Amino acid sequence: MLNMPMNQEQLRLWIDQVSLALVDTLLFLDTHPYDEDALNYYKHHAAMKKKAVKMYEDQYGPLTARSAPTKDYWDWVMQPWPWEGGCK
């Protein structure tokens, strides 16, 4: 999916979908810790999420406060909020 161009909303949706797949897989791995297919599935989706988050943050800015750059001041809250059109 990341091979085709995506706008901000599409990329954010993709990150959410891959994140859900990761959470579901982690729950499965809690009860099936030796399932190699599930572990490979998790690793594949974790790599996809990492790539997608990097693409998003390179184009649109940080997704979380942890990835916000620290300067001489804290500007995380200076970006538009979702209701101000920040996530469209």
Side-chain angles (χ1 to χ4, degrees):
M1 181 97 175
L2 290 178
N3 297 334
M4 55 189 290
M6 287 190 252
N7 64 31
Q8 185 177 12
E9 185 178 351
Q10 293 167 327
L11 190 52
R12 179 72 177 137
L13 180 61
W14 176 248
I15 291 168
D16 288 345
Q17 291 169 343
V18 173
S19 296
L20 178 61
L22 288 172
V23 170
D24 282 348
T25 307
L26 283 175
L27 292 172
F28 180 82
L29 285 167
D30 283 345
T31 58
H32 302 80
Y34 301 107
D35 188 318
E36 286 186 40
D37 290 334
L39 187 56
N40 288 334
Y41 182 89
Y42 177 82
K43 289 176 182 179
H44 174 73
H45 282 74
M48 286 194 324
K49 180 180 177 182
K50 184 177 181 179
K51 182 178 178 182
V53 167
K54 180 169 179 10
M55 285 176 62
Y56 184 96
E57 291 182 342
D58 287 350
Q59 292 178 32
Y60 304 110
L63 278 172
T64 65
R66 277 195 188 134
S67 58
T70 53
K71 303 174 188 165
D72 293 336
Y73 58 94
W74 185 245
D75 66 349
W76 167 252
V77 298
M78 303 308 280
Q79 299 177 26
W81 291 88
W83 55 88
E84 297 172 325
C87 291
K88 291 185 178 179

